[in-house]
């Protein structure tokens, strides 16, 4: 992808990520309540659980029907089509950061989780959060999950920082994910899921940033390639 496309992408994302603390907190509370309700319904069923811990991408921001067309829902359809006995729990919250994910993970893990997909870090990059903090938060999420469920499988989706924050920051952000990959050999790493989508009008909504339903299909196919390794 050309550098100007990344700059346009991340500047636009910055404008959309600032939803306000109160709104993000309400989204988190709604997500927790939703997951608690799902947990009560599903507890009696003998299905394994895949938890998506993410931001506006997982939440399907801007889609007409995110419960059907956001990429976690598309993953569920792939699982069902392949007769895989898994249910997807979508814990995506628009504007979520690695800090927010770390704060939510203990509650989300009250339900038995077999596979954890972590799609966080993009909003940290937009806000210029220290790459070291991003690394520490993601490592804590991984450690908490493994401590809670020793056999849990973890997928970590790599994120990229906006180039307009400077080469040093961008390099530090990339290194944070490189270190996480090096330090967690059993974690399956998924490449940046917006690569090949960002900058393409046909795959993005009118804001030029958030993927359309078609864009989510591309994301789902990318993640599915790696998720199949741990099913």
């Amino acid at each position: 992808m050309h550098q100007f496309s990344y700059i346009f992408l991340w500047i636009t994302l910055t404008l959309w990520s600032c939803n306000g603390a109160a709104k993000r907190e309400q989204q988190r509370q709604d997500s927790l309540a939703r997951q608690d309700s799902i947990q009560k319904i599903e507890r009696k069923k003998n299905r394994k659980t895949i938890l998506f811990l993410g931001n506006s991408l997982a939440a399907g921001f801007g889609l007409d029907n995110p419960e059907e067309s956001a990429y976690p829902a598309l993953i569920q359809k792939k699982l069902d089509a392949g007769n895989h006995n898994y249910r997807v729990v979508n814990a995506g919250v628009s504007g979520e950061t690695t800090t927010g994910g770390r704060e939510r993970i203990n509650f989300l893990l009250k339900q038995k989780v077999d596979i954890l997909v972590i799609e966080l870090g993009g909003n940290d990059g937009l806000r210029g959060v220290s790459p070291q903090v991003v690394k520490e938060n993601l490592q804590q999420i991984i450690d908490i999950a493994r401590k809670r469920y020793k056999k849990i499988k973890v997928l970590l989706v790599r994120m990229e920082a906006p180039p307009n924050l400077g080469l040093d920051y961008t390099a530090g952000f990339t290194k944070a994910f490189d270190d996480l990959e090096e330090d967690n050999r059993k974690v399956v790493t998924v490449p940046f899921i917006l690569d090949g989508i960002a900058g393409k009008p046909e795959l993005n909504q009118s804001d030029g940033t958030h993927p359309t339903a078609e864009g989510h299909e591309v994301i789902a196919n990318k993640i599915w390639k790696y998720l199949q390794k741990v099913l």
Side-chain angles (χ1 to χ4, degrees), residues 79-122:
L79 290 164
D80 294 343
N83 292 318
H84 297 287
N85 195 29
Y86 285 87
R87 70 178 179 111
V88 166
V89 174
N90 186 353
V93 173
S94 294
E96 187 66 293
T97 62
T98 57
T99 297
R102 187 200 67 212
E103 292 172 348
R104 286 197 295 145
I105 191 61
N106 278 306
F107 177 87
L108 294 170
L109 290 176
K110 287 184 178 180
Q111 60 191 311
K112 178 67 167 64
V113 174
D114 301 278
I115 300 174
L116 171 64
V117 182
I118 306 171
E119 178 250 293
L120 292 173

Side-chain angles (χ1 to χ4, degrees), residues 167-181:
L167 293 177
D168 289 344
Y169 183 82
T170 302
F173 202 86
T174 297
K175 187 176 185 302
F177 279 90
D178 288 342
D179 291 346
L180 285 165
E181 186 172 355

Side-chain angles (χ1 to χ4, degrees), residues 28-66:
R28 291 192 183 99
Q29 294 301 322
D30 291 344
S31 176
L32 294 176
R34 184 169 63 251
Q35 306 318 320
D36 190 42
S37 177
I38 292 173
Q39 177 183 354
K40 291 177 181 178
I41 294 173
E42 294 285 345
R43 187 176 293 135
K44 296 181 181 180
K45 297 182 180 180
N46 188 29
R47 287 200 290 173
K48 294 183 177 181
T49 298
I50 302 174
L51 173 67
F52 282 85
L53 179 62
N55 51 38
S56 61
L57 296 178
F61 181 87
L63 297 179
D64 292 335
N65 189 0

Side-chain angles (χ1 to χ4, degrees), residues 34 59 65-70 73:
R34 184 169 63 251
N65 189 0
E67 293 185 358
E68 290 293 329
S69 53

Side-chain angles (χ1 to χ4, degrees), residues 69-80:
S69 53
Y71 78 79
L74 300 180
I75 292 293
Q76 181 69 74
K77 292 177 182 179
K78 291 178 181 295
L79 290 164
D80 294 343

Side-chain angles (χ1 to χ4, degrees), residues 198-210:
K200 292 187 176 181
E202 67 274 17
L203 295 178
N204 286 277
Q205 299 174 40
S206 59
D207 62 7
T209 300
H210 291 89

